[in-house]
Amino acid sequence: MAVRSNIVGIDSPEALEKALRAAYYLADEGLATAAYLGLALGKPLLLEGAPGVGKTEAAKAIAAVLGRRLIRLQCYEGIDASAALYEWNYPRQMLAIRQAGDESIDIYGETFLIERPMLAALRAPDSTVLLIDEIDRADQEFEAFLLEFLSDFQISIPERGTVRAAERPVVVLTSNRTRDLHEALRRRCVYHWIDYPTAEREARIIMMRASSVAEATARAVVAAVEKLRREPLSKAPGIAEAVDWAEAATLLNRGGARWPDAFKRSIGVALKDEEDLHFISPRLDAILAEATA
Amino acid sequence: MSTEPQIPRAARTFISFVALLRANGFAVAPEQTTAFLAAIALLGPRDLDDIRQCALATLAPPPERRATFDRLFDLHFRGSEAIVRDDESEDEETVRLQEEGRGDEEPLLSDDANESGLAATRTEALVERRFAQLSTIDALRRLAREAQRRLPRRRGHRRMRARRGPFADLRRTLRDSVRSDGEILRLGHMKRRQRPRKMLLLIDVSGSMKSRTEDNMKLAHALVQATGNVEVFTFGTRLTRITRALRLKRREQALSAAAHLVSDWDGGTRIGDALQAFLAVPRFGGYARGAAVIVVSDGLERGEPDALRDAVATLSRRAWRLSWLTPLATSPGFRPQTEALVAIERFVDDLVDGGSSASIVAHMLALGRRRAA
């Protein structure tokens, strides 16, 4: 298997981890290794994990490290080829036919082609990173269609022929695991399961993302969030929520609110479900007191 | 053609690790083995953790089998003495309801509960049984025959050609118009395709449902066979996903595989906790979204009615339609008596008879006639 040179200057997982940190993303060893292998072996990177653990952020950071544009394809139930690959600009084609009169025109020329994310990534493989976000939302037909793209990195447009990438594009797929992905898709990719970060790492993420937050605040948020994640909530707070919570509480604290109270009043930033709030409210004081102790 | 002589000695231990994984039921494709070797060559095996990271990234074990994977890894590369037991994979699909706070494992169903539970169903069960026994096979046949046509459907996003429809088929219209110098003589139409709607079947396998359990399992198998878009769980004191077992084509095989997974047959019931556990696992809870959810249970709850009410309310909001099929509702004028059923009545869309396979099948097939949301 050929080793790709699309990661100039990054010759080990540790180097990639460092570069990601410079792009404000703290990757653990597993993620750095998987991402490094994906880039070096020219394989797509499949990231799975609970919502809010930073899968999409990882893709953004990888694009930043490589100095490339991120093209995002958000998947949804019923997504089809015309939303993912290309579409013809029909009104323009019709207009062109009518205006042409007796002259002959090529209505399948470049000017009538609307590029969608996958085609765009194929045509500019060395300046883009393709993020196929939440692949688990798309239905199985789309997954099958994706298999072809991910193994050959080519797309055929019936009217124009086959578009083939000169170089394998960098592709990152994410999944929240709301359904099982097909084995065939998993095995074409380099795989990593992103877990919630350790308390230490999460505190560092918070301080890196929100520079106004004091270390003690970050640690208190992390302790509280860890407890909340153990509760049967319908939406456990992700990393982004933890960052927001730390920032919001800091803001309230500067406005004069005392500590546990500042956390409590800004809980809506971390828990965004009325029922979750209702469920947790009897124990919230205890959780916060313990976290800020 | 044998490639054996070309395998360098150093690579053998990695290849034999892949073989060990395969022997323990991990699906590893040849290209993954290649990627694994390439990854090790790339990193240069500096220490065992690097090799473990390479293995995780390229061999992609499913997260729920990660513990088994790690044990196999240690066994192979560290020669650890740990006994590798693979049968723990049942844990991946089973959620234990006994948590720390509930350590006081009460007898699964205490005697008095048994009385009230069974007494309520016993008379009906006797009456039902003859009818049900007779018609189960017919009901399953009917399900297989009519599933395609009559199970609930939803409108998909994809469009297909149609003689009439709300969307213009610009691609076809354009192609046709080229033949007439850009003159549009006929406008093509498209409509949205109908697709089978997800279904979620939650089956109570506790003691009070004992008389129905076998038939319900047969029914679940028939449903999984009839349409691909079904998830099936059983609950009693635990929650178990049995969809994968029921995908086996032969019924006896599938049911025995399912029986192997479920460990709480004929025990007590904590419906509320079971449903909470179902919702708490995001992957499971997602199955309910937009689905036709069918709960087959008598609603004789041993746990907190609060937990049950909250779980059913959440389920109802996620589901396209929530049906509660109970053997108690044999007459059309049925009004719920138990505290639990009264608590959840306002959240369920249908509270109907689940006392025979015929009536359950009839309800499932009638769902398709509801307006597609």
Side-chain angles (χ1 to χ4, degrees), chain B residues 62-292:
Chain B
E64 64 272 1
R65 296 199 64 196
R66 178 67 197 274
T68 312
F69 182 89
D70 280 343
R71 272 203 309 281
L72 288 172
F73 186 91
D74 289 339
L75 180 80
H76 188 77
F77 288 102
R78 293 210 163 105
S80 119
E81 296 294 313
I83 301 160
V84 177
R85 276 191 31 181
D86 193 52
D87 54 356
E88 293 198 5
S89 61
E90 73 155 352
D91 280 3
E92 79 187 61
E93 306 294 15
T94 309
V95 179
R96 270 171 238 261
L97 297 182
Q98 261 90 19
E99 285 151 14
E100 317 96 67
R102 304 180 183 278
D104 54 326
E105 277 186 45
E106 49 194 48
L108 293 178
L109 202 64
S110 64
D111 284 341
D112 55 334
N114 229 332
E115 276 304 298
S116 62
L118 284 179
T121 48
R122 192 170 288 145
T123 40
E124 267 106 0
L126 287 176
V127 181
E128 281 295 321
R129 185 163 284 175
R130 257 172 296 137
F131 176 61
Q133 294 288 315
L134 273 180
S135 58
T136 292
I137 291 175
D138 287 338
L140 297 186
R141 286 209 188 110
R142 184 179 170 210
L143 181 65
R145 203 169 51 234
E146 299 185 15
Q148 204 69 22
R149 223 157 19 94
R150 297 193 42 202
L151 284 180
R153 301 172 77 75
R154 66 174 174 84
R155 255 190 336 210
H157 269 277
R158 288 197 200 164
R159 297 170 182 185
M160 57 186 271
R161 284 162 82 142
R163 194 177 290 270
R164 257 185 241 165
F167 307 106
D169 185 351
L170 289 176
R171 190 186 186 102
R172 187 150 56 101
T173 307
L174 177 86
R175 282 173 170 243
D176 289 349
S177 76
V178 171
R179 274 181 236 129
S180 48
D181 289 334
E183 218 53 63
I184 296 171
L185 300 176
R186 200 188 47 182
L187 192 63
H189 288 276
M190 293 178 107
K191 66 176 182 191
R192 279 164 74 179
R193 211 162 70 176
Q194 297 273 314
R195 324 211 44 200
R197 182 174 284 282
K198 274 191 293 187
M199 294 184 80
L200 172 65
L201 193 55
L202 296 158
I203 303 174
D204 187 341
V205 292
S206 64
S208 58
M209 289 290 286
K210 195 172 176 179
S211 62
R212 283 292 314 150
T213 297
E214 195 183 329
D215 278 352
N216 284 343
M217 297 300 284
K218 284 183 189 163
L219 199 63
H221 177 252
L223 185 65
V224 171
Q225 293 302 315
T227 167
N229 223 353
V230 192
E231 286 292 336
V232 185
F233 290 79
T234 61
F235 64 89
T237 52
R238 288 168 142 209
L239 175 80
T240 313
R241 176 174 180 245
I242 56 168
T243 317
R244 211 174 283 174
L246 295 182
R247 293 222 175 98
L248 294 174
K249 206 159 182 75
R250 290 185 45 202
R251 189 203 288 159
E252 299 78 40
Q253 229 175 354
L255 292 190
S256 82
H260 192 70
L261 290 175
V262 179
S263 55
D264 54 346
W265 299 112
D266 307 337
T269 333
R270 290 215 305 270
I271 312 175
D273 292 337
L275 294 183
Q276 296 274 19
F278 171 80
L279 293 167
V281 179
R283 188 157 69 101
F284 293 169
Y287 292 143
R289 223 171 273 282

